[in-house]
């Protein structure tokens, strides 16, 4: 399958505004530049924290975020989405770093990127259409909760002055957009709180307290591991985890940004871009990653960015800040970034979904799926597991609903030449709905000729064919003849291929 990376896409995929429009429009360009700066500031402590989770040096997470943000800004499928080192991927690769060392971790990341390229080629992104809205709402709400709870370590057991600083930061971001949106409110909050803490000499935790910042540019890194099947057996399961978790989290983030911006993204291209970004991240000594949904919300929702410029600059600014003004960056109070993330969590949460009026109108199964998704994600801190649980419950709920839509009606028409029982079957027949199909027939009471009219139904799987086999066999044992008629072409083809060949029809 060819991966379309050409710009001549259908109009619904054209970014609005485009990069060229942004470059020619000072107002938009300034917004993109400032958004990139805000995101870069928010990326640094997170990248350091994720490095600690993975059990590696902070520069590994920072370099990974820089490389991935820059790469994805050129070849990603979702403009304005931020990519870098993430907790989800860090959790997957942590055992590799702990048990085998950094070189094996890097090899795992590179292989994970290769797996993503393969999955992009086979069109795995198209599976996103099977994620229902209730799972998406649960995903968003759980994400908001995780973003908020991730700030708690910076709010517990800290100097008292952290709390008024956070309150002031939140107030700035709530009030300022009512007067002007020319400058992103999060950037103003960060600058103001930094100035206050420095000028008044307030002793509170800062970015510099989170870990040492690198002092040199990232360099090419080739993992020193034996290139044999034994190494492959060690890293392949973790690499597949990196690929699947990264793709799922990135595509969910892309879908969320699609809804916020009312634009469309290229999911297959995004999958391809994530693969390339992970491969290059590994070769520059990075720990890999995927879409950063919290930072993406800062970029898109809090700062109003819409183009690839902000994504590129988030990575570029990160490197410039870390290498060029590391000493200045180190004094930025964590309270400022906590305030930004709290606002992001509030903006991310779908408050409409938990209103009593909404819950009363929503089917119970939809609410159950949403709540289950939230619980699974918050409990495991793994977005991929939560989405999987939500989709599974949604599938079961859907199967149960559809199973009850199948009807079987028995008639004894008098216009037949010989006594005949006619059964009219309506609905979709699959493993759930066909389970009780055999109980809908009056075998002993029916005359010697039975017609099963399937014109209003569709045979979806072998379970239904097996049920029809069982029905015809029961009538056959009673010396009665069964005629199945009215099947559509697809149902006829499946029935012809499988009928009498499944066994267990007695």
């Amino acid at each position: 399958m060819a991966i379309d990376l050409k710009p001549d896409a259908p109009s619904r995929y054209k970014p609005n505004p485009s990069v060229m429009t942004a470059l020619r429009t000072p107002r938009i360009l300034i917004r993109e530049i400032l958004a990139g700066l805000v995101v870069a500031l928010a990326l640094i402590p997170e990248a350091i924290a994720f490095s600690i989770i993975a059990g590696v040096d902070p520069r590994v997470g920072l370099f990974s975020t820089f490389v991935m943000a820059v790469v994805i800004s050129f070849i990603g499928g979702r403009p304005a989405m931020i990519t870098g080192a993430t907790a989800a991927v860090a959790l997957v690769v942590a055992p590799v770093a702990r048990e085998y060392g950094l070189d094996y971790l890097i090899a795992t990341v590179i292989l994970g990127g290769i797996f993503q390229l393969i999955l992009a080629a086979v069109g795995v992104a198209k599976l996103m259409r099977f994620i229902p809205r209730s799972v998406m709402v649960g995903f968003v709400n759980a994400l908001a909760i995780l973003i908020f709870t991730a700030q708690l370590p910076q709010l517990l057991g800290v100097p008292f002055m952290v709390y008024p600083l956070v309150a002031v930061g939140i107030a700035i971001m709530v009030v300022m957009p009512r007067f002007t949106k020319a400058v992103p409110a999060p950037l103003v909050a960060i600058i103001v709180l930094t100035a206050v803490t420095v000028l008044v000499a307030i002793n509170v935790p800062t970015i510099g307290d989170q870990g040492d910042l690198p002092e040199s540019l990232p360099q090419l890194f080739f993992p020193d591991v034996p290139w044999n099947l034994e190494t492959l057996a060690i890293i392949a399961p973790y690499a597949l985890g990196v690929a699947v978790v990264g793709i799922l989290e990135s595509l969910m983030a892309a879908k969320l940004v699609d809804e916020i911006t009312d634009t469309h993204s290229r999911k297959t291209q995004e999958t391809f871009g994530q693969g390339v970004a992970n491969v290059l991240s590994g070769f520059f000594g990075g720990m890999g990653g995927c879409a950063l949904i919290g930072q993406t919300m800062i970029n898109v929702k809090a700062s109003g960015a819409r183009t690839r410029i902000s994504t590129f600059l988030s990575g570029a600014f990160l490197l410039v800040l870390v290498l060029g003004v590391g000493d200045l960056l180190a004094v930025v109070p964590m309270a400022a970034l906590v305030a930004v993330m709290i606002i992001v969590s509030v903006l991310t949460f779908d408050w409409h979904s938990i209103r009593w009026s909404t819950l009363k109108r929503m089917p119970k199964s939809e609410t159950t799926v949403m709540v289950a998704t939230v619980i699974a994600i918050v409990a495991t801190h793994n977005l991929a597991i939560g989405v999987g649980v939500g989709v599974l419950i949604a599938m079961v709920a859907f199967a149960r609903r559809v199973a009850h839509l199948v009807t079987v009606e028995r008639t004894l028409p008098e216009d037949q030449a010989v006594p005949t029982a006619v059964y009219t079957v309506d609905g979709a027949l699959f493993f759930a709905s066909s389970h009780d199909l055999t109980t809908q027939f009056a075998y002993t009471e029916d005359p010697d000729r039975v017609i099963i009219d399937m014109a209003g139904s569709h045979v979806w799987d072998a379970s239904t064919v097996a049920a029809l086999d069982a029905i015809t066999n029961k009538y056959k044992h009673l010396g009665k003849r069964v005629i199945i008629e009215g099947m559509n072409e697809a149902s006829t083809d499946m029935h012809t291929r499988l009928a009498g060949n499944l066994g267990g029809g007695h």
Side-chain angles (χ1 to χ4, degrees):
M1 173 183 173
I3 299 173
D4 183 15
L5 301 178
K6 297 179 182 178
D8 56 343
S11 58
R12 69 194 184 104
Y13 289 108
K14 290 181 179 178
N16 183 29
S18 67
V19 170
M20 292 307 299
T21 300
L23 291 174
R24 291 194 297 262
T25 310
R27 177 180 58 83
I28 298 176
L29 181 59
I30 290 172
R31 184 184 67 193
E32 297 292 316
I33 293 172
L34 295 178
L37 179 57
V38 173
V39 172
L41 290 168
L43 283 171
I44 292 167
E46 298 250 325
I48 295 172
F50 299 151
S51 299
I52 294 171
I53 291 173
V56 295
D57 190 273
R59 63 172 60 90
V60 176
L62 289 166
F63 287 164
S64 184
T65 298
F66 160 69
V67 172
M68 296 194 73
V70 170
V71 170
I72 212 71
S73 69
F74 288 99
I75 61 176
R78 174 63 262 177
M81 193 163 78
I82 306 300
T83 292
T86 61
V89 171
L91 288 171
V92 173
V93 299
V96 182
R98 184 170 58 249
E99 297 177 25
Y100 301 100
L102 179 62
D103 288 280
Y104 277 83
L105 181 147
I106 300 301
T108 301
V109 170
I110 294 171
L111 183 59
I114 294 171
F115 281 155
Q116 287 178 326
L117 294 176
I118 295 171
L119 292 171
V122 300
V124 73
K126 294 179 180 177
L127 295 177
M128 281 297 294
R129 70 186 67 178
F130 296 109
I131 297 180
R133 182 183 180 279
S134 52
V135 174
M136 189 67 188
V137 172
F139 169 84
V140 169
N141 290 346
L143 172 65
I145 293 170
L146 289 182
I147 291 174
F148 179 80
T149 56
Q151 311 315 309
L152 295 180
Q154 300 294 337
L155 293 171
L156 300 175
V158 294
F160 172 78
M161 285 305 298
V162 167
Y163 303 112
L165 287 173
V166 171
V168 170
I170 291 174
I172 291 173
M173 287 179 280
V174 170
V175 175
M176 183 180 161
R178 299 178 183 178
F179 298 96
T180 179
K181 294 183 179 179
V183 179
L187 179 60
V188 174
I190 292 170
I191 292 173
V192 169
L193 295 187
T194 302
V196 169
T197 55
V198 172
L199 294 176
V200 186
I202 300 175
N203 185 22
V204 292
T206 64
I207 287 180
D209 298 329
Q210 306 305 304
D212 294 330
L213 300 177
E215 299 177 354
S216 62
L217 290 169
Q219 298 177 338
L220 278 175
F221 182 95
F222 293 94
D224 183 17
V225 298
W227 296 100
N228 53 35
L229 291 178
E230 183 181 352
T231 300
L232 183 63
I234 292 172
I235 67 174
Y238 296 103
L240 185 59
V242 168
V244 172
V245 168
I247 288 174
L248 183 56
E249 197 158 331
S250 299
L251 294 186
M252 291 292 284
K255 189 175 181 181
L256 180 58
V257 178
D258 289 352
E259 293 182 1
I260 292 171
T261 61
D262 196 26
T263 56
H264 293 269
S265 58
R266 291 174 173 272
K267 304 297 190 300
T268 297
Q269 183 171 335
E270 181 61 34
T271 306
F272 174 82
Q274 291 291 331
V276 174
N278 270 310
V279 170
L280 291 178
S281 167
F283 279 122
F284 279 95
M287 56 181 276
C290 60
L292 284 152
I293 305 177
Q295 278 69 15
T296 297
M297 291 299 100
I298 294 176
N299 198 43
V300 175
K301 258 195 168 179
S303 303
R306 291 292 183 271
T307 76
R308 298 175 185 273
I309 296 173
S310 59
T311 305
F312 171 79
L313 289 177
S314 68
F317 277 137
L318 181 146
L319 194 65
V320 170
L321 289 171
V322 168
L323 298 181
V325 289
D327 293 339
L328 179 61
L329 179 67
V331 302
V332 173
M334 288 301 297
L337 300 178
V338 169
V340 171
M341 298 309 289
I342 289 175
I343 287 294
V344 168
S345 69
V346 172
L347 293 175
T348 302
F349 198 92
D350 186 351
W351 298 99
H352 180 268
S353 67
I354 60 171
R355 289 178 186 168
W356 180 243
S357 58
T358 303
L359 294 175
K360 283 195 300 183
R361 289 194 301 267
M362 196 69 65
K364 290 182 179 179
S365 60
E366 297 281 320
T367 303
T368 300
V369 169
M370 181 193 74
V371 173
T373 303
V374 171
I375 292 173
I377 291 176
V378 173
T380 63
H381 283 232
N382 190 312
L383 296 169
I385 290 177
V387 170
V389 169
V391 170
L392 181 62
I393 294 175
M395 289 169 57
V396 173
F398 175 75
R400 284 178 58 114
R401 286 200 302 270
V402 173
H404 295 303
L405 297 178
V406 174
T407 60
V408 179
E409 183 180 350
R410 177 179 183 264
T411 58
L412 298 169
E414 298 179 355
D415 58 351
Q416 298 287 331
V418 296
T420 304
V422 177
Y423 287 87
T424 303
V425 182
D426 286 310
L429 296 169
F430 63 110
F431 62 90
S433 59
S434 63
H435 181 72
D436 296 324
L437 189 63
T438 56
T439 66
Q440 306 295 312
F441 293 80
Y443 300 100
T444 58
E445 300 173 14
D446 284 339
D448 291 343
R449 185 169 181 263
V450 177
I451 294 176
I452 302 177
D453 182 2
M454 305 282 288
S457 62
H458 186 98
V459 176
W460 286 105
D461 61 8
S463 297
T464 303
V465 177
L468 292 173
D469 280 353
I471 292 167
T472 56
N473 284 333
K474 285 188 178 185
Y475 278 115
K476 183 178 179 181
H477 292 157
L478 294 171
K480 301 177 182 182
R481 181 188 175 205
V482 178
I483 300 171
I484 300 176
E485 63 181 25
M487 281 188 179
N488 58 39
E489 185 177 350
S491 298
T492 300
D493 178 62
M494 179 171 287
H495 186 259
T496 301
R497 284 188 291 109
L498 299 179
N501 296 314
L502 297 172
H506 298 283

